[in-house]
Amino acid sequence: DVKVTQSSRYLVKRTGEKVFLECVQDMDHENMFWYRQDPGLGLRLIYFSYDVKMKEKGDIPEGYSVSREKKERFSLILESASTNQTSMYLCASSLAGDNEQYFGPGTRLTVT
Amino acid sequence: GESVGLHLPTLSVQEGDNSIINCAYSNSASDYFIWYKQESGKGPQFIIDIRSNMDKRQGQRVTVLLNKTVKHLSLQIAATQPGDSAVYFCAVVTNSGYSTLTFGKGTMLLVSP
């Protein structure tokens, strides 16, 4: 089974802090994705990566950056956390050319 | 860009009923659609997919119907069980080169015994 793990299930940070969310997949997938999920808004794509060191902006990249130094790991970075970044963050991965994405359990981030 | 809409945020059914969850999309060129199920505290999980060259696809107790004329798809769950209680999302492939998805807002299915 594909396994996508995220470093924390719950995280509380203060406004202005730098926040790292880590995601690891164990199935050698080329594509990795970061979404945020908010009530009434569904899942919205922040950034994705189709290869090591490659990244593409999604629909809502403002306030975020990403890093993919190794194939299995995709990090989401909030350079200076703000309260409007309080959300559930979901990581996903997929094989190149395969539309099915496999999701991690999510990290619920609260910024106070 | 693509937008994916949802007709009903919450659907309540009795155990044993059939459930129908609807979804609409905006781009007539969209050619691949996926339904995901998200249980409480978990990430979304793939249920079933359908390509635009099909009108219907069946899985185990689930059927997806695609109406390209009106840009509408639905997920039918037969003999709904309490374990089916979850949020259901439809998703549309928006960039086939990168396999990116646009998700609908989700329907919460509540199954009462």
Side-chain angles (χ1 to χ4, degrees):
Chain A
D1 276 353
V2 176
K3 192 158 187 185
V4 180
T5 56
Q6 296 183 229
S7 51
S8 305
R9 294 301 303 272
Y10 301 93
L11 208 53
V12 180
K13 296 292 182 181
R14 294 202 178 273
T15 302
E17 280 193 86
K18 189 169 186 176
V19 182
F20 291 87
L21 302 182
E22 305 285 341
C23 175
V24 177
Q25 49 93 6
D26 67 357
M27 284 302 291
D28 205 36
H29 285 175
E30 289 80 12
N31 301 327
M32 296 189 75
F33 307 84
W34 274 107
Y35 296 88
R36 64 176 284 175
Q37 182 176 21
D38 300 289
L41 296 178
L43 280 74
R44 294 179 291 166
L45 182 64
I46 305 172
Y47 266 98
F48 65 97
S49 168
Y50 54 90
D51 202 350
V52 175
K53 296 191 185 297
M54 306 304 291
K55 61 184 179 184
E56 294 285 340
K57 293 180 180 178
D59 299 319
I60 51 165
E62 296 80 18
Y64 303 94
S65 62
V66 290
S67 173
R68 189 146 181 224
E69 297 297 317
K70 294 185 176 182
K71 190 175 185 179
E72 68 272 17
R73 188 179 297 269
F74 192 35
S75 302
L76 180 70
I77 304 155
L78 288 65
E79 292 289 342
S80 177
S82 63
T83 55
N84 63 10
Q85 292 179 308
T86 291
S87 187
M88 172 69 83
Y89 289 88
L90 289 162
C91 175
S93 70
S94 70
L95 281 168
D98 188 347
N99 294 311
E100 182 181 346
Q101 294 182 16
Y102 296 83
F103 283 83
T107 295
R108 184 165 295 280
L109 172 67
T110 301
V111 182
T112 62
Chain B
E2 176 75 78
S3 70
V4 182
L6 195 69
H7 296 288
L8 198 65
T10 304
L11 177 65
S12 296
V13 301
Q14 295 283 327
E15 183 178 359
D17 287 351
N18 295 332
S19 303
I20 300 176
I21 300 170
N22 296 303
C23 189
Y25 60 97
S26 63
N27 188 349
S28 57
S30 298
D31 64 358
Y32 190 91
F33 309 87
I34 305 177
W35 281 98
Y36 279 89
K37 172 185 181 182
Q38 185 177 25
E39 295 175 282
S40 181
K42 297 183 180 180
Q45 186 173 21
F46 174 93
I47 304 173
I48 191 167
D49 59 359
I50 188 168
R51 291 196 177 277
S52 59
N53 60 354
M54 303 172 72
D55 297 324
K56 179 179 179 178
R57 190 164 189 218
Q58 288 185 286
Q60 190 174 19
R61 281 200 308 117
V62 295
T63 300
V64 56
L65 300 177
L66 177 63
N67 185 330
K68 295 180 288 294
T69 303
V70 295
K71 292 180 284 187
H72 179 274
L73 69 158
S74 65
L75 177 71
Q76 300 180 0
I77 304 173
T80 313
Q81 302 168 359
D84 295 326
S85 293
V87 179
Y88 292 81
F89 294 95
C90 63
V92 179
V93 173
T94 45
N95 185 322
S96 58
Y98 294 133
S99 300
T100 58
L101 302 174
T102 295
F103 284 80
K105 293 177 173 52
T107 289
M108 178 174 286
L109 177 64
L110 300 172
V111 183
S112 51

